[in-house]
């Protein structure tokens, strides 16, 4: 992850090495990323990091909850049984990957919080409905 003008970008090792070589040729100091590695690795959806963290709660079906509970999630993830479903709770800054994960689970998952991201997913589903009608 590289921070450029307040935005974080994921770069491949090959690209990083190429950029580094170009900077060295031009005698430009190579920027050091401002990333807390332990914090980044504790966020399962923070591969592409947004500016601010938020709390997310996902309701999982009984079947999906058992499946997700067996995965190796970082300590930042809490999965708790509640009646006939499971609640998946995480503090993240990874809007893109959290949204993709929830949507990939289809009817087995429902994002409960935050409301702004729930609304965003709802809009995307409505757009998909228009496409597939």
């Amino acid at each position: 992850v590289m921070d450029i003008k307040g935005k974080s970008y994921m770069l491949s090792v090959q690209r990083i090495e190429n950029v580094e070589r170009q900077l060295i040729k031009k005698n430009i100091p190579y920027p050091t990323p401002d990333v807390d590695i332990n914090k980044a690795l504790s966020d399962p959806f923070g591969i592409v990091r947004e500016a601010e963290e938020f709390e997310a709660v996902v309701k999982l079906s009984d079947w999906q909850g058992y499946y997700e509970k067996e995965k190796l999630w970082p300590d930042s993830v809490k999965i708790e049984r509640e009646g006939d479903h499971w609640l998946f709770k995480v503090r993240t800054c990874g809007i893109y990957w959290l949204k993709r994960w929830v949507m990939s689970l289809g009817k087995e998952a429902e994002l409960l919080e935050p409301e702004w991201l729930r609304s965003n997913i709802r809009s995307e589903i409505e757009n998909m409905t228009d496409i597939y009608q």
Side-chain angles (χ1 to χ4, degrees):
V1 178
M2 179 181 273
D3 185 50
I4 301 173
K5 296 182 182 178
K7 293 275 189 178
S8 294
Y9 298 93
M10 290 296 296
L11 299 174
S12 73
V13 172
Q14 183 180 16
R15 288 181 185 160
I16 291 171
E17 289 172 347
N18 186 35
V19 168
E20 186 176 29
R21 281 192 299 276
Q22 295 302 316
L23 293 175
I24 289 170
K25 281 182 190 177
K26 296 176 183 177
N27 202 22
I28 299 172
Y30 185 71
T32 55
D34 183 24
V35 175
D36 179 346
I37 297 300
N38 291 325
K39 190 172 185 174
L41 292 176
S42 72
D43 185 346
F45 303 106
I47 297 167
V48 178
R49 301 182 64 77
E50 300 293 329
E52 295 193 25
E53 289 185 335
F54 58 93
E55 297 286 336
V57 178
V58 180
K59 179 180 173 182
L60 299 171
S61 70
D62 190 39
W63 176 85
Q64 192 67 43
Y66 276 112
Y67 179 76
E68 296 302 329
K69 185 97 171 120
E70 294 302 313
K71 288 183 180 178
L72 294 175
W73 293 100
D75 292 339
S76 61
V77 171
K78 304 294 179 229
I79 304 175
E80 304 164 349
R81 184 144 178 86
E82 188 172 286
D84 65 346
H85 61 273
W86 295 78
L87 291 180
F88 178 99
K89 299 176 181 179
V90 66
R91 182 158 184 80
T92 183
C93 64
I95 297 169
Y96 178 82
W97 288 109
L98 174 63
K99 179 179 165 183
R100 293 290 160 232
W101 175 70
V102 169
M103 293 183 72
S104 75
L105 297 176
K107 67 179 186 170
E108 303 298 324
E110 176 187 0
L111 183 83
L112 301 177
E113 297 174 21
E115 179 56 40
W116 57 266
L117 186 52
R118 180 180 170 88
S119 177
N120 183 284
I121 290 173
R122 183 183 307 112
S123 294
E124 187 151 337
I125 291 169
E126 288 168 358
N127 289 338
M128 289 171 61
T129 302
D130 292 342
I131 292 170
Y132 285 97
Q133 282 186 352

